[in-house]
Amino acid sequence: MPVLPPRPRPALPLRPPARLLPVGLAALLSGLLGAGPAPARAEEAPPWQAWPVRSATGDNRSDDAADLAPLTAGLAGVRVLGLAEQTHGGHEEFATKLRLLRHLHETQGFDVLLLESGFFDVEQLQQDVQAAARLRGKASAARSSSWARGAPGNVFYMYSKSVEGQALMAYLDQQQAMGRPLLVAGIDSQHSGLRSQQDLARGLRRALRSGMGGARGRALSEDAGWQAYARQLTTLFTLSRQAPPAAERQAFQARSQALQDALCAVRETRARPDGAGWWCRVVRSMDAQARSLWSNGADYQRDQAMGDNAIWLMEQLHPGRKAVVWGHTVHLARGFQRDPAHLQAGEVMHRQWGAAYQVLQFSASGGRYLDYVSLQEADVPAQPPQALEQQLAREHPGQALLVRASAPVTLPQFAYEYGQGGVESSQQPGQLGRHWDWLWLLPRISPARMAP
């Protein structure tokens, strides 16, 4: 599968070490600045640099982040960082991501969190949480919403119904209560949450009737075709892959295009949730969802729309802010495309932001994880001895590592689902230094747990 050529060597020099660098400041600065003599034969040294890091397995509120100094330095100039999980079912992956989110938000100015979850659903919850914060201390606060209460059924279930995901939701509520909230948004064009099922169609109709989208938009909300369109949305939000008859499908797509023409053409002085630009993204997301599901992936538009949603959120709704993207590697890695007309979201974002978009990948040398589809535990499969994870594990047994490469690493390595395939098997194997900038290697992982 064709991919973009590797990006130029990072401006930050990376001297491949012959052994793991200690975390002492002098050694750390030496590694970052490239001090010291180069190896006599460059081909004998691996094209990566590694630092020991602490594994996160639980609460990190009193975290000593000294081991994150190489990452902090390497993110200078980065506006959007993808935290990419191979599987949605690894306890240590989730715990470490939460540790990194704390560090990035509380010390590095990343104040937007983009979730692999429905664009419409997450924004509705964000509005509820912000409204509840304004009501805090008043009598009506008893009905207030929170991420912990509102996420189940509306946010992707591995982020809202697992013990690890609920720790993320608790952190969002904590930051809201402390007056330093993360601004949370969903980027997924695939909608299946309760808020979509209950509120999306009527919310869109209400916006059109109010005059959003002009006379054309108002007419589309009142004519005879609206009810058929709304019925198709009801089925669509169940994630059914059963395509409607050809005539109904054509009518749906024609109305979807007409709605986009009406809403996306509106000039707004400032983007806002529930504005014309936001509804434009909602309609385009639903169109992408229909095309992806009804073609059984042949016209897979989900990821392109995910990337476009992220760009709209950061360029229109949150300009000038920095964001962490929390999602699966197959969505966040750069350089992946099913074909030139169907890009993965990470490649869409990379083409928009270039070097200001980086990706941190997680992997493990062994252990078990929870298969998020079957909810059954599975082993991390054995790798060949020459695999990247195995080589690092032999050199630094039992040690969690942060790794960065100065060139694409061509050794065998895990990319997503720990080599177990799925729809992602259509993508070529990923590489550190080509598809992601950083690797956080865990010695072992254990399965995520679903909350009672």
Side-chain angles (χ1 to χ4, degrees):
M1 179 173 301
V3 297
L4 293 179
R7 292 189 295 168
R9 183 185 182 93
L12 199 64
L14 297 174
R15 177 173 58 89
R19 58 181 177 82
L20 185 65
L21 296 176
V23 294
L25 182 59
L28 175 61
L29 291 176
S30 173
L32 287 174
L33 298 177
R41 296 180 62 191
E43 68 272 18
E44 294 180 354
W48 63 73
Q49 188 165 3
W51 299 269
V53 285
R54 292 194 302 103
S55 291
T57 57
D59 184 41
N60 294 287
R61 283 176 291 185
S62 58
D63 189 17
D64 176 2
D67 60 326
L68 301 181
L71 178 64
T72 300
L75 294 181
V78 172
R79 185 175 174 223
V80 180
L81 174 66
L83 296 182
E85 65 219 33
Q86 279 197 54
T87 168
H88 295 306
H91 168 77
E92 287 77 9
E93 289 180 334
F94 276 147
T96 303
K97 287 176 72 167
L98 181 53
R99 181 193 177 206
L100 292 175
L101 179 64
R102 289 179 184 274
H103 173 69
L104 294 167
H105 175 53
E106 296 173 20
T107 71
Q108 302 302 310
F110 286 78
D111 56 3
V112 177
L113 175 63
L114 304 180
L115 286 174
E116 182 193 327
S117 200
F119 184 88
F120 177 87
D121 303 279
V122 177
E123 183 55 47
Q124 300 309 294
L125 291 179
Q126 174 73 89
Q127 294 301 311
D128 289 350
V129 170
Q130 289 178 334
R134 293 191 293 269
L135 293 172
R136 189 166 289 116
K138 299 182 180 180
S140 55
R143 300 176 56 197
S144 65
S145 181
S146 68
W147 288 104
R149 285 191 290 270
N154 289 298
V155 173
F156 174 48
Y157 62 90
M158 291 304 296
Y159 299 163
S160 61
K161 295 183 178 181
S162 68
V163 172
E164 293 77 8
Q166 289 183 349
L168 169 62
M169 298 302 146
Y171 177 68
L172 297 179
D173 284 333
Q174 175 200 68
Q175 293 301 293
Q176 182 72 51
M178 295 175 66
R180 53 184 189 192
L182 274 153
L183 300 171
V184 187
I187 64 170
D188 206 337
S189 59
Q190 186 164 275
H191 289 87
S192 59
L194 295 174
R195 297 300 292 268
S196 289
Q197 296 175 33
Q198 297 168 0
D199 302 333
L200 197 159
R202 64 184 178 184
L204 174 57
R205 192 178 198 187
R206 184 168 56 248
L208 294 168
R209 283 176 163 176
S210 74
M212 192 175 296
R216 177 58 174 152
R218 187 179 293 109
L220 288 167
S221 72
E222 300 288 358
D223 67 12
W226 175 264
Q227 293 302 329
Y229 177 73
R231 284 195 301 272
Q232 293 291 0
L233 293 180
T234 299
T235 302
L236 193 63
F237 297 153
T238 68
L239 302 185
S240 171
R241 295 181 179 273
Q242 182 63 48
E248 294 179 23
R249 181 173 177 174
Q250 290 169 3
F252 178 92
Q253 292 175 340
R255 179 161 295 263
S256 176
Q257 186 60 58
L259 288 168
Q260 292 176 60
D261 292 343
L263 291 165
C264 304
V266 175
R267 300 289 184 181
E268 295 180 304
T269 56
R270 181 179 179 182
R272 58 183 176 84
D274 209 32
W278 186 81
W279 280 112
C280 166
R281 292 301 333 155
V282 172
V283 173
R284 284 182 169 170
S285 292
M286 294 187 298
D287 183 70
Q289 183 171 350
R291 292 175 183 273
S292 298
L293 291 174
W294 293 346
S295 69
N296 201 28
D299 185 18
Y300 180 81
Q301 295 290 338
R302 179 187 175 192
D303 264 76
Q304 177 74 53
M306 288 175 73
D308 289 341
N309 285 342
I311 292 168
W312 185 88
L313 287 163
M314 295 307 295
E315 299 302 325
Q316 302 298 321
L317 196 61
H318 303 305
R321 295 184 182 272
K322 296 198 294 185
V324 170
V325 193
W326 187 300
H328 197 292
T329 301
V330 77
H331 298 306
L332 303 189
R334 65 178 186 267
F336 286 142
Q337 58 183 39
R338 299 186 178 218
D339 57 59
H342 299 89
L343 305 181
Q344 295 297 104
E347 179 59 12
V348 175
M349 292 187 281
H350 172 57
R351 293 188 184 189
Q352 171 70 23
W353 292 310
Y357 177 70
Q358 287 191 12
V359 180
L360 189 152
Q361 161 81 321
F362 288 85
S363 193
S365 304
R368 292 173 64 80
Y369 63 95
L370 186 71
D371 184 295
Y372 71 94
V373 177
S374 68
L375 296 183
Q376 300 297 309
E377 294 185 11
D379 290 324
V380 172
Q383 289 177 291
Q386 70 271 25
L388 173 61
E389 289 90 343
Q390 299 309 309
Q391 181 168 327
L392 289 167
R394 286 193 302 272
E395 294 173 355
H396 315 290
Q399 177 66 63
L401 301 172
L402 175 67
V403 187
R404 194 178 189 188
S406 58
V409 176
T410 58
L411 296 175
Q413 58 199 277
F414 287 132
Y416 27 71
E417 300 304 322
Y418 289 100
Q420 296 302 297
V423 66
E424 290 83 2
S425 63
S426 64
Q427 306 292 305
Q428 72 177 71
Q431 296 176 348
L432 171 63
R434 182 186 298 274
H435 300 101
W436 39 86
D437 305 270
W438 305 86
L439 175 69
W440 191 290
L441 178 62
L442 297 155
R444 296 185 69 80
I445 60 169
S446 56
R449 296 165 294 154
M450 301 308 292

